[in-house]
Amino acid sequence: MIGKRSSLLIMAFLLAVPAAPASAEEDGKAEEGSFSEKREVVYATLNADGSQKDMYVVNNFDIEDPGTIVDYGLYSSVENLTNVNEIKQKNSRIEVRAEEEEFYYQGNLEDQNLPWNINFSYKLDGEEINPEELLGKDGQLEIGIETSEKEGADPVFFNNYTVQITVPLDAEIFENIEAPDGTVANSGKDRQVTFTVLPEKEESFKVTADAENIEMDSIEMAAVPASLSMEEPDIDGVKKDMNSLADATAAINDGASGLADGIAELNNGTAQVYSGSEQYLNGIQELNSGSASLVEGSASIKSALAEMSRLASQGPGDLNLGDLSQMQENLRELSSGLQKAEDGLVDLRTNYTNAHDQLDEAMASIPGYEVTEEDIQALRESGVDQEVVDHLIETYHAAQEAKAVYGDAEGAFDAAGPALDQAVASLSEINDQLAAAADTIETNLGSVNVDESIKELQQGIQGFSSQYNDFHAGLVDYTNGVGQLAGSYEEVHAGIGGLTSGTADLQSGAADLQNGTSELSASTSDLPEEMQSEIDQLMSEYDYSDFEPVSFVSEENENIESVQFVIKTESIKKEEQEEEQEQEDEKSLWDRFLDLFR
């Protein structure tokens, strides 16, 4: 055991110097001593698998007043490491006379456990293997290390101590060393793999290496009170950035709110556009469906005027009063038919005007504000669902395109109204002339100068017929244009319908977006304060400045300045080396003393 050799050397030294005067205790005057601080170093030896083997404690005192000091511990045996004074042990009470400024004694423990469970496992080429079977083997070695709190042990050590585990590996035996959670460092010609277990943590580590003719020194562990020297970080700059982030998210939320309002307006506008477009489509289709009847009726009028013009072109002698009376009746019927056509065109003009006004108002209601690429990029980076953002952008562009297309075609829409007005005016003028002609025939049926009246009638009817030919040709062109417009506008109306459906979905998505940015803004508004609070909490978790050491061996011990643990496993070495060690241990006291000077 460690300590025995030291005590033997001290005894040898004492044999070589004159005997000291008798102490006060030998004179029967035992003096009570005192110490200011006590330190405990707990040494433990483990088997290669981590099971506990031996344990002893070296107790160190800073003596204030020389004399008898008292300590406590359930030791199986004790040993004075400072002088030859006898240590008195009764149950857990230890008494010894300490005269030096520092006093050491060793106490051996048999029934006390470490505060941690420490387990080592070994695999060779993926197969579990007992550590005693590893010696001299070749292959890929994997060492598993697990630490946890020992049930029933005083939790003060597990909760406040940092454990450092060091695995020494001979570079001539091990290569390709890997330790995902450890640090690999050079130590002379060898390598050392170091793992750290923080207070209150249960850890699992692994180290792998390719090995040839395996031998291993002891795995060593040291446990000391955690004293992380950390100053609170200066986060003023970060807090400033966090404030900027909070301001930015608030601005994004404001923008998203405005966007949601704008999209709501857009949705209302597209709904109005669709309603107006539907009325316009119905009107243009109604106009187109009546075009055939209008052209057919106009053709009948044209034919009747041509027949009347033919009759009127005959000489006065060829006409009789019956023909004139029939012509007058035909003119009245033509005039009545034209009046109905005129009334139909007037109704159509009114319906068209109303539909066009609604369409124009609906298109004007689409917001014309510009969303820049910077706005779109900020929206993409806001953390909002990218699918929603894509829908927003797609609908925005579709709405603006519809508005632009309507603006380009607005001239054609505007021209349709005047064309209908002109057609109505032309029909009205022709109708007035036909009515006037019929009145003239009726007036002149009883006239004496029939020939002269017939001549004037012939000229008027021929003029009507020629003028109506031009009107009919224009009417045919107009109705053909109406047919093309009706067919084309069906596609326009279908597109407006899709736009309306899209803006409705978009409005719902924009509402979700606004809710999300609102939550984001709320969650980041106090971000600097929350970050400071988290840092304070984290610092407090690793602040062990208020930790007061307690004795590992007895709660009765006082003035504890520190308690440390030094733990090591058995090495995996060849037997001849162990025999050499045993032979060395068998040296005489005098040989050992002489070795100090060789």
Side-chain angles (χ1 to χ4, degrees):
M1 288 185 180
I2 298 176
K4 183 180 291 185
R5 178 177 180 179
S6 299
S7 61
L8 292 174
L9 292 175
I10 292 172
M11 290 175 64
F13 177 76
L14 292 174
L15 290 173
V17 298
S23 66
E25 186 176 6
E26 291 172 347
D27 292 339
K29 298 178 181 179
E31 295 180 1
E32 183 177 348
S34 65
F35 59 90
S36 60
E37 293 179 342
K38 176 193 176 185
R39 289 169 286 274
E40 296 177 358
V41 180
V42 181
Y43 294 90
T45 304
L46 308 180
N47 294 309
D49 62 0
S51 58
Q52 191 168 315
K53 186 176 180 182
D54 298 316
M55 183 188 297
Y56 63 92
V57 181
V58 174
N59 299 280
N60 168 226
F61 301 84
D62 288 343
I63 304 301
E64 282 187 332
D65 300 314
T68 300
I69 61 173
V70 177
D71 195 41
Y72 297 90
L74 287 173
Y75 300 114
S76 60
S77 62
V78 292
E79 184 177 354
N80 191 331
L81 302 178
T82 306
N83 54 42
V84 294
N85 292 343
E86 179 186 3
I87 299 178
K88 296 180 180 179
Q89 181 180 14
K90 185 177 181 180
N91 296 326
S92 64
R93 182 182 175 90
I94 309 295
E95 291 184 11
V96 64
R97 181 172 180 77
E99 299 169 348
E100 294 79 3
E101 291 182 358
E102 282 195 284
F103 179 78
Y104 294 85
Y105 85 91
Q106 175 179 317
N108 301 314
L109 296 169
E110 290 184 354
D111 299 326
Q112 191 158 345
N113 293 319
L114 290 167
W116 303 271
N117 293 311
I118 304 173
N119 297 313
F120 296 93
S121 60
Y122 303 84
K123 289 182 179 180
L124 188 63
D125 293 330
E127 297 293 332
E128 292 188 3
I129 186 172
N130 293 324
E132 57 270 18
E133 299 175 3
L134 281 172
L135 187 64
K137 294 288 198 308
D138 301 334
Q140 186 184 61
L141 176 65
E142 177 184 312
I143 304 173
I145 306 170
E146 293 185 355
T147 67
S148 60
E149 183 177 9
K150 174 79 76 174
E151 185 178 354
D154 189 344
V156 68
F157 301 101
F158 178 80
N159 293 335
N160 293 279
Y161 275 56
T162 297
V163 181
Q164 187 174 67
I165 305 171
T166 302
V167 182
L169 298 173
D170 190 331
E172 294 182 357
I173 297 175
F174 299 95
E175 59 181 14
N176 300 325
I177 301 168
E178 294 185 4
D181 300 311
T183 301
V184 182
N186 291 331
S187 177
K189 67 182 182 65
D190 296 330
R191 304 287 186 269
Q192 283 189 342
V193 182
T194 303
F195 302 98
T196 301
V197 181
L198 294 177
E200 302 181 86
K201 301 295 183 182
E202 297 186 345
E203 298 288 1
S204 176
F205 304 115
K206 181 173 70 174
V207 55
T208 60
D210 294 331
E212 184 176 351
N213 194 17
I214 293 176
E215 284 188 53
M216 285 187 62
D217 289 326
S218 299
I219 298 175
E220 299 178 352
M221 288 147 280
V224 295
S227 64
L228 301 178
S229 179
M230 292 192 304
E231 294 183 0
E232 184 169 342
D234 182 6
I235 61 169
D236 289 342
V238 179
K239 288 173 69 174
K240 183 178 179 180
D241 293 339
M242 292 299 101
N243 281 321
S244 299
L245 174 62
D247 293 341
T249 54
I252 290 175
N253 181 50
D254 292 340
S257 178
L259 180 64
D261 293 340
I263 290 175
E265 293 180 13
L266 173 64
N267 185 45
N268 293 335
T270 54
Q272 295 179 18
V273 169
Y274 184 75
S275 177
S277 175
E278 188 172 33
Q279 293 187 25
Y280 182 83
L281 178 64
N282 292 337
I284 202 69
Q285 287 178 339
E286 181 181 350
L287 176 62
N288 184 50
S289 63
S291 294
S293 300
L294 185 63
V295 171
E296 185 178 348
S298 178
S300 299
I301 294 174
K302 175 186 174 184
S303 178
L305 283 175
E307 178 61 21
M308 292 176 63
S309 177
R310 185 188 66 77
L311 292 175
S313 65
Q314 296 178 6
D318 296 329
L319 292 174
N320 54 42
L321 294 179
D323 292 332
L324 291 176
S325 178
Q326 183 63 41
M327 185 178 295
Q328 176 195 6
E329 185 177 342
N330 290 340
L331 287 174
R332 296 290 186 195
E333 291 179 359
L334 287 175
S335 176
S336 176
L338 286 177
Q339 184 62 51
K340 291 180 180 180
E342 180 184 347
D343 292 342
L345 285 178
V346 169
D347 291 341
L348 180 59
R349 176 66 177 89
T350 301
N351 293 335
Y352 176 83
T353 300
N354 291 336
H356 180 250
D357 289 344
Q358 291 184 7
L359 179 62
D360 187 68
E361 180 182 354
M363 283 294 184
S365 68
I366 297 178
Y369 52 77
E370 181 180 1
V371 178
T372 66
E373 289 298 325
E374 289 77 10
D375 296 332
I376 293 174
Q377 187 61 30
L379 188 59
R380 290 190 183 278
E381 296 174 355
S382 65
V384 179
D385 186 346
Q386 291 301 306
E387 186 175 356
V388 173
V389 174
D390 292 340
H391 287 328
L392 286 172
I393 297 171
E394 181 181 352
T395 305
Y396 165 76
H397 288 308
Q400 296 306 310
E401 183 177 358
K403 189 177 179 71
V405 170
Y406 177 76
D408 294 340
E410 191 171 5
F413 287 114
D414 291 341
L420 284 173
D421 288 339
Q422 184 177 358
V424 170
S426 298
L427 280 178
S428 179
E429 181 181 356
I430 294 173
N431 187 37
D432 291 342
Q433 291 178 0
L434 287 176
D439 292 341
T440 300
I441 293 175
E442 182 179 3
T443 302
N444 291 297
L445 280 176
S447 173
V448 177
N449 193 0
V450 176
D451 290 342
E452 186 175 350
S453 297
I454 289 174
K455 185 175 181 182
E456 293 177 359
L457 179 62
Q458 287 175 335
Q459 294 175 351
I461 290 176
Q462 289 173 350
F464 292 160
S465 178
S466 175
Q467 186 178 0
Y468 196 83
N469 285 340
D470 294 337
F471 172 79
H472 180 74
L475 183 64
V476 170
D477 292 339
Y478 174 76
T479 54
N480 289 337
V482 168
Q484 293 178 359
L485 179 60
S488 300
Y489 196 77
E490 285 183 359
E491 297 181 4
V492 175
H493 181 68
I496 292 175
L499 176 63
T500 305
S501 177
T503 55
D505 294 339
L506 186 59
Q507 183 178 9
S508 176
D512 293 340
L513 171 64
Q514 201 274 327
N515 290 335
T517 56
S518 178
E519 292 179 6
L520 178 63
S521 177
S523 63
T524 56
S525 60
D526 297 329
L527 191 58
E529 291 75 15
E530 292 177 359
M531 183 174 63
Q532 182 65 60
S533 177
E534 289 291 335
I535 289 177
D536 293 342
Q537 177 65 27
L538 185 62
M539 292 292 292
S540 67
E541 289 180 2
Y542 291 95
D543 182 10
Y544 300 95
S545 59
D546 59 348
F547 171 66
E548 296 183 3
V550 297
S551 172
F552 173 67
V553 291
S554 175
E555 61 183 12
E556 296 183 79
N557 291 331
E558 298 177 347
N559 301 335
I560 304 300
E561 194 272 333
S562 69
V563 176
Q564 301 179 25
F565 295 82
V566 177
I567 309 166
K568 62 191 308 184
T569 66
E570 288 185 325
S571 63
I572 302 175
K573 291 286 188 179
K574 295 179 180 178
E575 291 183 1
E576 54 265 24
Q577 292 180 332
E578 295 177 359
E579 291 175 356
E580 291 176 4
Q581 182 65 40
E582 291 176 359
Q583 292 174 2
E584 182 179 347
D585 290 341
E586 292 174 358
K587 285 183 179 182
S588 67
L589 176 61
W590 181 248
D591 289 336
R592 288 186 173 189
F593 180 73
L594 292 178
D595 285 342
L596 293 175
F597 303 97
R598 290 174 181 169

